[in-house]
Amino acid sequence: MPRKPAVPSVADLNAAAGGVATLDRGLSVLAVFSGELPNPTLADIAASTRIPKSTVLRMLSSLEHAHLAVKLPDGRYALGPEIARLHLVYASSFSLEPLVMPLLRDLVAQTQESAAFYIREGGKRLCLHRVDSPRPVRDHIRVGDLLPLERGAGGRVMLAYDGVPGDIYARIRREHVVVLAGDRVAEVAGVAAPVFGAAGQLAGTLTLTMPAERLDAAFAGPVLQAARRLTVQLGGTFPAVDEAAA
């Protein structure tokens, strides 16, 4: 029986329940590749995964055999062509709706207010998915509606991650959520948080809207949690709230 390493690897510390440890470690090697480190060295991979270099080298040989990684002439590594093929399969079959709609329904069930997902469409934001509040008094945005960026919680979030200066945008970038009343329409309030894609880009915004008199600052928690969940499902990383600056 092989001996356990004296220092657990990153994969060992986050092993899949009922999974295969060797596969977990191999996948942790692939996870080292990123936009910041597209061509890691053997030493980079060993340090990031906490797996001995000799073991990493064997794993890389298997990944090269499967065309998931390639060794460059300078000794560094790059992702292989099989990654591109898998991405094409993923992209051709991928739709946001199966991911977004359950989260919107959960938000509505928790808050009894209307939830929506917006994406950028030129100089405006497009309501791509929406679940209405069950309450008779609510705002009446519909799927397909275009709203301004410079007014309303969802638009403010998009501008914040465009790097627009100003106190409100700096606060959004620190806290990753905004609660506003009367910003787009005097009688309507909104709560919004950003959703990020796998490349770190802003994929859209999750929003909760309601009549201004029903606004509850505590709604920020569920909206932020839903935005984090959707970001993870899209392969992105949700930034931590800057507690010191908040």
Side-chain angles (χ1 to χ4, degrees), residues 196-211:
F196 300 95
Q201 81 284 10
L202 184 71
T205 59
L206 274 178
T207 71
L208 197 67
T209 53
M210 68 292 297

Side-chain angles (χ1 to χ4, degrees), residues 3 6 11 15 25 34 43 48 64 66 119 130 139 142 151 160 165 169 175 188 204 231 245:
R3 292 181 302 169
R25 295 184 193 114
S34 68
S48 295
E64 288 181 80
I119 60 170
R130 178 179 165 94
D139 70 313
R142 297 167 299 178
R151 295 190 303 279
Y169 301 117
E175 300 176 4
V188 175
T231 293

Side-chain angles (χ1 to χ4, degrees), residues 107-128:
L107 272 177
V108 174
Q110 287 180 68
T111 66
Q112 298 296 291
E113 304 298 353
S114 299
F117 179 73
Y118 288 87
I119 60 170
R120 184 77 172 261
E121 185 73 21
K124 294 184 180 293
R125 55 187 167 111
L126 169 70
C127 182
L128 190 63

Side-chain angles (χ1 to χ4, degrees), residues 76-96:
R76 294 179 300 156
Y77 289 86
L79 292 175
E82 181 65 7
I83 297 291
R85 187 190 72 80
L86 292 172
H87 175 72
L88 288 174
V89 174
Y90 171 77
S92 66
S93 63
F94 182 74
S95 168
L96 281 174

Side-chain angles (χ1 to χ4, degrees), residues 97-176:
E97 185 173 0
L99 299 180
V100 173
M101 290 301 289
L103 288 174
L104 297 184
R105 293 188 192 102
D106 284 349
L107 272 177
V108 174
Q110 287 180 68
T111 66
Q112 298 296 291
E113 304 298 353
S114 299
F117 179 73
Y118 288 87
I119 60 170
R120 184 77 172 261
E121 185 73 21
K124 294 184 180 293
R125 55 187 167 111
L126 169 70
C127 182
L128 190 63
H129 299 293
R130 178 179 165 94
V131 176
D132 286 331
S133 166
R135 304 174 76 167
V137 178
R138 60 176 185 261
D139 70 313
H140 291 278
I141 299 300
R142 297 167 299 178
V143 170
D145 283 353
L146 287 168
L147 298 182
L149 293 177
E150 67 277 5
R151 295 190 303 279
R156 297 285 190 183
V157 168
M158 289 184 179
L159 291 179
Y161 291 93
D162 269 355
V164 173
D167 290 345
I168 185 172
Y169 301 117
R171 187 174 75 249
I172 292 170
R173 289 189 289 268
R174 289 195 307 268
E175 300 176 4
H176 314 302

Side-chain angles (χ1 to χ4, degrees), residues 210-244:
M210 68 292 297
E213 64 269 18
R214 294 209 305 254
L215 177 63
D216 184 342
F219 288 155
V223 172
L224 194 55
Q225 183 180 38
R228 284 195 184 103
R229 285 173 57 195
L230 184 54
T231 293
V232 170
Q233 290 173 336
L234 293 177
T237 300
F238 200 89
V241 174
D242 187 347
E243 301 285 358

